[in-house]
Amino acid sequence: MPRFLSLIRIDEQNLPTDGFPADFEERMGALMEEITKAGVMLDTAGLLPTSEGTRVDWSGGKLSFTDGPFTETKEVVGGYALLQCKDKAEALEWTKRFLSIHPTSWHVGAELRQIQEM
């Protein structure tokens, strides 16, 4: 079965300060349990802020390093999920369900990409 990487995108400079609703953790926990029991979730995690990251660039035969935060970037990857699904439609359905759990006042996006198997 194909694997998909869902890159969760956030606007790190405009994160809501009001926190999560009281039932958020319960709803997210229920979805994570369901997706794991379905054998779809292979791995998932949130990422530390870009202020703790480093970008590494290869150009012209040279490496360069840039420490975060990356203020020139509006959206950054804030987390990921590695999914194994029967097809892209199923992976999109799980991704939609994940995003829909977030408060309506939040802006959270995802980039879903199928992993090229060798």
Side-chain angles (χ1 to χ4, degrees):
M1 283 205 315
R3 294 180 301 155
F4 296 85
L5 184 62
S6 180
L7 301 168
I8 308 306
R9 298 198 171 274
I10 60 170
D11 181 351
E12 195 173 55
Q13 269 108 50
N14 292 308
L15 291 175
T17 57
D18 54 355
F20 292 103
D23 66 339
F24 176 80
E25 286 187 32
E26 181 181 324
R27 291 183 301 128
M28 185 61 76
L31 177 63
M32 290 298 115
E33 184 176 336
E34 181 183 355
I35 195 170
T36 301
K37 282 183 179 178
V40 170
M41 181 66 72
L42 300 178
D43 190 27
T44 187
L47 301 176
L48 293 175
T50 62
S51 61
E52 298 185 36
T54 301
R55 286 192 175 151
V56 182
D57 189 54
W58 173 259
S59 180
K62 295 182 182 180
L63 286 172
S64 63
F65 302 87
T66 306
D67 290 331
F70 311 123
T71 55
E72 73 281 358
T73 305
K74 181 175 175 162
E75 287 188 340
V76 298
V77 177
Y80 70 93
L82 181 59
L83 310 171
Q84 188 166 19
C85 301
K86 64 183 177 195
D87 55 26
K88 186 175 181 181
E90 182 185 13
L92 279 170
E93 184 59 34
W94 286 111
T95 301
K96 289 189 307 186
R97 290 183 60 193
F98 171 82
L99 292 176
S100 298
I101 286 178
H102 291 79
T104 57
S105 61
W106 283 47
H107 178 103
V108 182
E111 178 181 335
L112 184 66
R113 308 269 303 270
Q114 185 170 343
I115 294 173
Q116 182 176 352
E117 303 294 344
M118 300 269 197

